[in-house]
Amino acid sequence: MATPFSRKTFAALLGLSLALASPGASAVSDVLETPARPTDLADDNLLTDSTFAGDRMVAVGERGHIIYSDDRGQTWQQGEVPVATTLTGVTFPTPTEGWAVGHGAVILHSSDGGETWEKQLDGTSASGLVIATMEEQIAAMEEKVENAPEDEKGDLEWALDGMIFALEDAQADKEVGPWKPLLDVWFADENTGFAVGSYGFIFRTDDGGETWQDWAANVPNPDRFHLNGIAEVTGGALVIAGEAGTLFLSTDRGETWESIESPYTGSFFGVMGTGDVNEILAFGLRGNVFLSTDLGRSWTTVPNDSPNTLNSGAVADDGRITLVGNGGTVLVSANNAESFRTQFRSDRQGLLSILPVSDDALVLFGEGGVLHTDINGLNR
């Protein structure tokens, strides 16, 4: 069995390999123009994320597979998808309106609960948005430099040089092709949402994806760290988590973002709320889990017995919190994330997403496709 990767790590590594070889970038372009192939095995192959669309379950994965179930995951139908690239994130703010993101910076939209999808954005158009934003910023900075007092020009010119370098980098990316992956997506409603991804990619829409804006200038991420996850916590705050301990917070629905002092310098692959107001649970490499009860002003390390990367989590109706990860890892907390009980599935396959379906059952998604388990993530 192949070594399991976090879906975020896998996406980033794939993006790097494609950047180093233009034929690979061409391959991404090809799958962005090729519809996903219908197959009876879609629910047995790699699935990377899942969500509820009302009572319907929707999951996304490799080769552009999107599947949905109306009987709590007992049977699955495959959606019609216009791309064959790996998909990494999915969200449905309403039972019918949903979005999915993936490799090649693709953003897909469904208005029928996941049965059919259309492409709203891909890496080519995303690069155009980034370049246009940078050109506007450079023009504004050039004017600022020209009008600045002499004792301030040096610092401004230094900043301008950095902006010009970033623009040249973005232009080179566009020449290579659409290789950078988007890694997660969140929508407040059928109009406003964000897609985040590798190298600091973040895009916003206020019209249901008819148009997208490059939002990177609104996030203090000068090193362009990968943004691996975005989530809303109870109370309305938004949190983004990424590599190198990156954490960003917004309390105005994503208009502005601030950096949170991180408890950890390793990569976070997931972030979520606990169900209580202003509580944040962030997790990632080597089983590291951290809890904040005050929107990231302070953090507590949450002990567990897993050495494996954690990828995703969910809160059940009864308040039980479950995290899943590589090596068949399942962590369960019944005390509001103060501690976790650790289980390892015997198949040791990587787990990338989870949906609680009842007080005593979970549906897991990962390397082995769809798995039905008890509340501890073990086979029923």
Side-chain angles (χ1 to χ4, degrees):
M1 181 181 69
T3 301
F5 285 98
S6 158
R7 63 187 171 99
K8 315 298 188 181
T9 304
F10 179 75
L13 291 175
L14 178 66
L16 178 60
S17 68
L18 296 180
L20 298 175
S22 56
S26 297
V28 173
S29 297
D30 291 344
V31 294
L32 291 175
E33 302 300 328
T34 303
R37 180 177 298 177
T39 172
D40 292 335
L41 300 177
D43 59 330
D44 291 324
N45 291 329
L46 175 66
L47 295 168
T48 59
D49 199 19
S50 62
T51 192
F52 281 105
D55 292 330
R56 171 175 286 181
M57 302 170 70
V58 182
V60 303
E62 64 179 345
R63 301 188 183 94
H65 293 164
I66 300 181
I67 58 176
Y68 59 91
S69 173
D70 292 318
D71 56 10
R72 286 296 195 254
Q74 297 302 315
T75 60
W76 294 87
Q77 304 292 320
Q78 186 176 356
E80 296 180 15
V81 181
V83 298
T85 191
T86 295
L87 302 173
T88 54
V90 61
T91 187
F92 273 81
T94 77
T96 57
E97 299 293 325
W99 284 264
V101 299
H103 290 189
V106 69
I107 300 178
L108 305 174
H109 171 243
S110 174
S111 59
D112 57 10
E115 297 178 22
T116 61
W117 296 79
E118 62 178 356
K119 184 168 64 173
Q120 291 187 332
L121 190 79
D122 62 24
T124 301
S125 49
S127 292
L129 293 176
V130 171
I131 289 169
T133 299
M134 289 181 174
E135 289 174 339
E136 292 176 3
Q137 293 170 341
I138 287 172
M141 181 60 76
E142 288 174 336
E143 183 177 352
K144 191 172 183 179
V145 169
E146 183 177 350
N147 297 325
E150 286 301 321
D151 61 343
E152 296 180 10
K153 284 186 183 290
D155 288 342
L156 293 175
E157 288 173 345
W158 179 267
L160 178 60
D161 287 344
M163 294 168 69
I164 292 172
F165 176 81
L167 173 61
E168 292 171 349
D169 194 30
Q171 291 169 332
D173 280 346
K174 187 173 183 179
E175 291 298 318
V176 170
W179 60 276
K180 291 181 178 178
L182 288 170
L183 301 172
D184 203 6
V185 58
W186 172 87
F187 267 71
D189 50 38
E190 65 272 21
N191 294 313
T192 301
F194 291 89
V196 302
S198 63
Y199 300 94
F201 260 2
I202 177 168
F203 299 98
R204 172 179 170 146
T205 181
D206 288 310
D207 56 14
E210 290 187 22
T211 59
W212 288 87
Q213 299 171 273
D214 173 25
W215 210 249
N218 298 285
V219 181
N221 186 22
D223 294 314
R224 293 185 289 171
F225 288 129
H226 301 324
L227 306 178
N228 293 330
I230 180 171
E232 180 183 13
V233 303
T234 302
L238 299 179
V239 185
I240 293 174
E243 70 171 324
T246 298
L247 291 167
F248 300 112
L249 175 73
S250 175
T251 56
D252 57 8
R253 308 304 277 174
E255 291 289 336
T256 60
W257 295 83
E258 62 179 296
S259 181
I260 304 175
E261 186 173 351
S262 178
Y264 173 61
T265 58
S267 289
F268 291 113
F269 291 120
V271 63
M272 58 184 285
T274 67
D276 285 347
V277 173
N278 293 342
E279 290 197 352
I280 304 170
L281 197 63
F283 44 89
L285 286 174
R286 294 182 292 277
N288 279 284
V289 183
F290 301 90
L291 173 66
S292 174
T293 61
D294 53 13
L295 288 183
R297 288 188 290 272
S298 62
W299 293 89
T300 301
T301 301
V302 184
N304 68 84
D305 296 325
S306 173
N308 299 325
T309 290
L310 300 171
N311 298 315
S312 187
V315 182
D317 289 341
D318 64 1
R320 185 182 285 105
I321 299 170
T322 306
L323 305 179
V324 296
N326 290 355
T329 302
V330 181
L331 305 184
V332 181
S333 174
N335 59 4
N336 203 46
E338 293 182 10
S339 63
F340 282 88
R341 182 176 68 256
T342 306
Q343 304 277 355
F344 298 100
R345 289 180 50 79
S346 60
D347 56 30
R348 295 290 177 163
Q349 290 185 316
L351 302 172
L352 300 171
S353 188
I354 172 178
L355 292 177
V357 293
S358 70
D359 290 342
D360 62 355
L362 304 171
V363 177
L364 308 182
F365 305 84
E367 284 188 303
V370 178
L371 300 170
H372 294 269
T373 76
D374 65 15
I375 201 65
N376 296 310
L378 303 179
N379 290 342
R380 293 175 65 84

